[in-house]
């Protein structure tokens, strides 16, 4: 009996017992609903909660963002009942995201484990390409304005000549 | 429901003024300056202005917001074109009429394909937006909301033709301007410019960068997309032909001036979300969502009304213009040249209903976001800018050059859209089209007689000839 109890204690210590048995909330599944790498520094993050949580209205989700894989510089982006969030305005780099569920307005024991992290790579378009396209666009626009103005003036002269 | 019933009633009321096809399709060619400017402005304030402009700001920052507002240049540049169109085609009906008479059958067919495809994608994006809006702001299921807004617009356009479209646009434009002003003032009362700036600098630093690559690309791409939309689409040609002589140019200039601040105000609202601690769950809903959260129930109602008006003012215009294009260019010119006035009116009504049903069926599964749906048409409409502008002002522009410009502009533009992104497609399409139009005019100049553009109006007492009858010299 003593041996069996010892085995159970060892099993708990190894963390092999499920979250539900510990009384916590299971982690949601996190998905980045945007292409990676992102060429404009924005993405939409979605998380799908465990089926057991869908009917509950006291669950909140906490979303974190980090630039290090170990989340040592993590910061909270959102805490609330929504199941998606848009991030934007990110500079070039690699960003890590994770989310967890918690029972609202209770102590920390009811906070669930983090989801598997998702990685978003941000690689903005080369600035040279952007400037080249901007120059091309400016030329096309200027030429279009010129053809309209010239056309109006020429048509005006034709009308005067007919009169 | 009250709004919907009201618009349908107005459609029925104003529709009684339309005694013939000129009345139904072109409001009697007698629209004055106030109505003309209002309808142009209201039609250009679409759900894209109120939902996509904030998305631009959220994803591309300050440049994105300004990029969206450059669409006003489409209205400014079309102003002198409106005058020219009225001069050359005082009895014309559609942009397709112009292309057919100016460039011939092949270019006409390609142009029609582009124009109808663009009109349908725009309609689909509006339909989807209606469903998204009703769901987000009023909790109505997407399918129900989308169906309701399409039904209301189809009904009052069916009853009233362009009279109803322009009349309701006037009311909708006033509501939109007042509503945007109220929401903007309300948001500013919660957050100052300084706190918004600090928050964006800390959380979304790229949004304030002047050299953000995607945003830089979006500036001229969006401008040229808008110019292409307005230059080619029958939505704007029908208005130019509907306005009284000498009114069109001023009306379009005024419309551009009134429209310019709307996307800036809408975009600004999106940038306040972080400061106010509002979580954005979908980028195309950021504008209405922030406004509704900040202003509470009243704000939600205002947002709902403004968005409903912006949607309705564009859906009705598209339905009317697309129906006119298909009735005149396909039904009358290709299928039933001897159709009478009454027959054309029936065909037009059937086409409005048919287009409405098709759009409804495509909107039902809700595929893609608003930006993806609409900007796919960017390369095509960008490629029409130079054939249209050159066709109106250069005698020497030739049909082969126009066709090649549209075809190759579309092809290269789509390649840019798929390889670089949606913010390059229209720009590349317009650039390629410009080069081909200019080169073909220099290498093989034509000599077009402008008188060939003036066509007889639809007359119920006359039988029509073949689809490609040539006007006497």
């Amino acid at each position: 009996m003593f041996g069996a109890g010892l085995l159970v204690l060892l099993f708990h210590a190894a963390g092999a017992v499920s979250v539900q048995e510990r009384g916590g909330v299971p982690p949601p599944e996190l998905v980045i609903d945007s292409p990676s790498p992102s060429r404009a520094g924005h993405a939409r993050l979605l998380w799908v909660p465990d089926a057991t949580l869908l009917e509950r209205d006291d669950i909140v989700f906490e979303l974190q963002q980090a630039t290090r894989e170990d989340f040592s510089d993590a910061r909270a982006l959102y805490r609330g009942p929504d199941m998606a969030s848009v991030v934007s305005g990110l500079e070039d780099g690699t960003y890590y995201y994770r989310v967890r569920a918690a029972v609202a307005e209770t102590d920390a024991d009811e906070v669930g484990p983090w989801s598997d992290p998702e990685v978003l790579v941000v690689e903005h378009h080369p600035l040279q390409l952007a400037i080249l396209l901007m120059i091309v666009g400016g030329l096309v626009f200027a030429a279009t304005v010129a053809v309209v103005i010239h056309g109006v003036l020429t048509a005006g002269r034709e009308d005067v000549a007919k009169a | 429901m009250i709004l919907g019933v009201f618009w349908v009633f107005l459609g029925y009321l104003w529709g009684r003024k339309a005694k013939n096809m000129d009345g139904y399709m072109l409001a009697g060619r007698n629209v004055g300056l106030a109505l003309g400017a209002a309808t142009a402005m209201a039609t250009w304030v679409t759900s894209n202005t109120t939902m996509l402009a904030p998305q631009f700001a959220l994803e591309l920052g300050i440049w994105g917001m300004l990029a969206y507002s450059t669409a006003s240049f489409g209205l400014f540049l079309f102003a002198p074109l409106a005058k020219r169109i009225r001069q050359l085609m005082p009895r014309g009906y559609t942009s397709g009429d112009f292309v057919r008479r100016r460039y011939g059958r092949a270019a006409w067919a390609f142009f029609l394909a582009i124009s109808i495809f663009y009109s349908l994608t725009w309609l689909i994006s509006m339909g989807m937006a209606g469903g998204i809006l009703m769901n987000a702001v009023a909790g109505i299921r997407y399918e129900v909301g989308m169906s309701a807004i399409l039904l209301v617009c189809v009904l009052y356009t069916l009853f009233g033709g362009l009279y109803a479209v322009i009349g309701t646009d006037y009311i909708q434009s006033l509501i939109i301007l007042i509503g945007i002003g109220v929401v903007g003032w309300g948001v500013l009362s919660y957050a100052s410019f300084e706190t918004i700036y600090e928050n964006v600098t800390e959380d979304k630093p790229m949004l304030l960068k002047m050299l953000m690559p995607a945003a830089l690309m979006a500036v001229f791409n969006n401008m040229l997309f808008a110019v292409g939309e307005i230059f080619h689409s029958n939505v704007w040609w029908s208005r130019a032909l509907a306005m009284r002589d000498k009114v069109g140019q001023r009306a379009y200039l005024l419309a551009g001036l009134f429209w310019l601040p709307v996307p800036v105000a809408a975009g600004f609202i999106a940038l306040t979300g972080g400061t106010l601690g509002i979580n954005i769950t979908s980028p195309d809903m950021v504008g209405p969502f922030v406004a509704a959260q900040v202003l509470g129930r009243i704000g939600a109602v205002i947002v709902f009304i403004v968005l409903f008006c912006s949607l309705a003012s564009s859906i009705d215009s598209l339905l009317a213009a697309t129906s006119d294009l298909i009735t005149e260019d396909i039904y009358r010119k290709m299928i039933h040249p001897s159709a009478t006035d009454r027959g054309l009116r029936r065909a037009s009504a059937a086409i409005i209903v048919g287009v409405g049903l098709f759009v409804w069926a495509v909107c039902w599964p809700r595929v893609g976001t608003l930006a993806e749906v609409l900007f796919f048409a960017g390369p095509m409409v960008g490629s029409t800018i130079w054939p249209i502008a050159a066709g109106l002002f250069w005698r020497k522009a030739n049909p082969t050059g126009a066709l090649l410009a549209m075809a190759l502009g579309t092809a290269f533009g789509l390649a840019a859209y798929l390889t670089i992104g949606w913010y390059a497609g229209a720009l590349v399409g317009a650039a390629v089209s410009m080069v081909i139009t200019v080169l073909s005019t220099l290498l093989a100049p034509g000599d077009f007689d402008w008188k060939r553009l003036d066509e007889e109006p639809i007359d119920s007492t006359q039988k029509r000839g073949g689809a490609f009858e040539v006007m006497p010299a």
Side-chain angles (χ1 to χ4, degrees):
Chain A
M1 195 130 163
F2 175 75
L6 187 59
L7 274 172
V8 170
L9 276 173
L10 286 171
F11 215 49
H12 272 275
V17 180
S18 74
V19 173
Q20 293 234 288
E21 290 175 357
R22 277 213 313 266
V25 286
E29 185 188 340
L30 178 63
V31 169
I32 297 184
D33 187 31
S34 299
S36 183
S38 167
R39 300 302 234 158
H42 60 79
R44 184 168 182 243
L45 307 167
L46 297 172
W47 47 92
V48 181
D50 187 86
T52 57
L53 301 180
L54 286 173
E55 299 302 316
R56 295 177 66 167
D57 58 4
D58 59 345
I59 299 296
V60 294
F61 302 96
E62 187 180 337
L63 175 69
Q64 279 192 348
Q65 172 184 291
T67 59
R68 297 195 181 122
E69 204 171 349
D70 60 2
F71 283 87
S72 54
D73 65 342
R75 67 186 191 98
L77 288 186
Y78 170 70
R79 180 181 165 87
D82 294 338
M83 289 189 273
S85 188
V86 172
V87 293
S88 66
L90 300 173
E91 294 174 311
D92 279 345
T94 302
Y95 298 85
Y96 301 88
Y97 296 91
R98 62 184 184 183
V99 67
R100 66 181 174 184
V103 179
E105 294 174 347
T106 60
D107 60 29
D109 287 342
E110 295 263 43
V111 175
W114 291 105
S115 66
D116 291 334
E118 285 292 320
V119 182
L120 174 72
V121 176
V122 175
E123 275 177 20
H124 287 273
H125 288 287
L127 190 57
Q128 297 86 337
L129 174 64
I131 290 175
L132 173 66
L133 286 176
M134 216 180 164
I135 291 171
V136 170
L139 287 172
V140 174
F141 176 68
T144 306
V145 171
V147 84
V148 171
I149 292 175
H150 179 262
V152 168
L153 292 172
T154 309
R157 280 198 290 270
E158 279 180 7
D159 290 341
V160 168
K162 272 188 229 157
Chain B
M1 189 187 282
I2 294 171
L3 272 175
V5 170
F6 182 55
W7 290 154
V8 174
F9 170 71
L10 286 177
Y12 169 73
L13 203 66
W14 280 321
R16 293 184 303 177
K17 295 172 77 166
K19 304 296 180 207
N20 53 27
M21 279 308 279
D22 261 29
Y24 191 72
M25 285 171 72
L26 298 175
R29 301 183 194 265
N30 195 34
V31 176
L33 180 62
L35 281 175
T39 185
M41 190 226 108
T43 300
W44 207 218
V45 179
T46 66
S47 63
N48 294 324
T49 318
T50 48
M51 292 164 78
L52 199 51
Q55 183 178 348
F56 264 50
L58 179 70
E59 293 177 349
L60 302 178
I62 298 291
W63 265 127
M65 202 162 74
L66 294 174
Y68 206 91
S69 68
T70 61
S72 57
F73 283 89
L75 292 170
F76 292 141
L77 279 178
F78 192 72
L81 263 66
K83 182 179 175 185
R84 182 71 171 161
I85 289 165
R86 199 73 165 78
Q87 278 173 344
L88 294 176
M89 299 172 56
R91 297 179 287 181
Y93 285 92
T94 67
S95 52
D97 280 344
F98 167 75
V99 175
R100 174 178 55 82
R101 290 192 154 251
R102 182 65 180 84
Y103 291 129
R105 179 170 33 190
W108 178 42
F110 198 90
F111 175 84
L112 271 188
I114 288 177
S115 197
I116 291 172
F117 177 79
Y118 161 77
S119 299
L120 291 176
T121 55
W122 192 6
L123 267 169
I124 290 164
S125 77
M126 298 291 110
M128 282 171 51
I132 293 168
L133 151 74
M134 301 265 198
N135 180 249
V137 180
I140 300 170
R141 273 188 58 197
Y142 166 82
E143 292 83 3
V144 173
M146 178 270 295
S147 304
I149 195 151
L150 281 177
L151 178 66
V152 165
C153 291
V154 164
L155 282 177
Y156 77 76
T157 307
L158 196 60
F159 291 149
L162 199 63
Y163 275 119
V165 167
I166 290 178
T168 52
D169 279 357
Y170 184 77
I171 301 171
Q172 287 154 356
S173 65
L174 293 174
I175 293 174
I176 289 165
L177 285 173
I178 294 169
I180 293 274
V182 167
V183 171
W185 169 81
V187 167
L188 266 180
S189 65
Y190 277 84
S192 66
F193 281 116
E194 291 77 18
T195 49
I196 295 167
Y197 177 80
E198 280 164 17
N199 172 266
V200 175
T201 305
E202 190 183 326
D203 286 352
K204 302 175 193 295
M206 284 303 286
L207 297 190
L208 296 176
K209 288 235 157 79
M210 285 292 114
L211 294 180
M212 184 183 177
L216 290 177
M217 287 193 257
V219 171
F220 282 109
N221 186 77
N222 199 63
M223 187 191 290
L224 290 168
F225 184 30
V227 171
E229 286 186 90
I230 293 182
F231 272 32
H232 98 279
S233 172
N234 198 47
V235 168
W236 312 99
W237 283 66
S238 59
R239 274 157 181 73
L241 292 164
M243 292 184 201
R244 264 182 234 141
D245 199 22
K246 297 184 185 4
V247 163
Q249 185 167 288
R250 285 179 294 155
Y252 275 99
L253 281 172
L254 275 175
L257 283 171
F258 278 113
W259 188 89
L260 186 85
V262 173
V264 174
F268 166 74
I269 290 169
L271 294 178
T272 63
T275 308
L276 300 170
I278 297 171
N279 179 48
I280 307 302
T281 56
S282 180
D284 51 9
M285 280 305 299
V286 58
F289 199 60
V290 170
Q293 293 259 311
V294 165
L295 298 176
R297 197 175 175 82
I298 295 173
V301 171
I302 295 173
V303 164
F304 184 87
I305 293 173
V306 168
L307 287 175
F308 180 88
C309 289
S310 65
L311 281 166
S313 64
S314 305
I315 293 176
D316 62 9
S317 303
L318 274 165
L319 282 171
T322 307
S323 155
D324 290 351
L325 196 65
I326 297 174
T327 303
E328 170 70 6
D329 285 65
I330 295 178
Y331 182 75
R332 185 166 91 91
K333 291 294 192 297
M334 293 189 200
I335 299 172
H336 197 6
S338 58
T340 62
D341 201 69
R342 180 174 283 200
L344 288 169
R345 183 96 181 241
R346 277 201 296 264
S348 181
I351 290 164
I352 289 174
V353 173
V355 168
L357 278 172
F358 174 79
V359 168
W360 174 82
V362 176
C363 285
W364 187 269
R366 191 181 170 180
V367 290
T369 67
L370 299 178
E372 286 165 13
V373 170
L374 189 62
F375 281 98
F376 188 74
M380 299 175 211
V381 304
S383 76
T384 63
I385 296 173
W386 274 75
I388 293 289
L392 282 168
F393 291 114
W394 292 355
R395 281 180 191 281
K396 296 180 181 178
N398 66 72
T400 306
L403 176 61
L404 279 175
M406 287 190 283
L408 291 175
T410 296
F412 279 89
L414 282 173
Y417 174 91
L418 294 169
T419 54
I420 302 173
W422 60 264
Y423 29 75
L427 191 158
V428 171
V432 169
S433 173
M434 177 184 81
V435 169
I436 292 172
T437 303
V438 171
L439 280 178
S440 64
T441 304
L442 289 172
L443 295 173
D447 186 18
F448 187 77
D449 180 2
W450 298 120
K451 291 196 195 73
R452 291 174 60 186
L453 290 174
D454 189 8
E455 189 173 36
E456 289 173 36
I458 296 166
D459 184 337
S460 59
T461 64
Q462 288 189 343
K463 288 212 178 283
R464 298 281 132 218
F468 305 108
E469 61 182 307
V470 176
M471 289 291 293

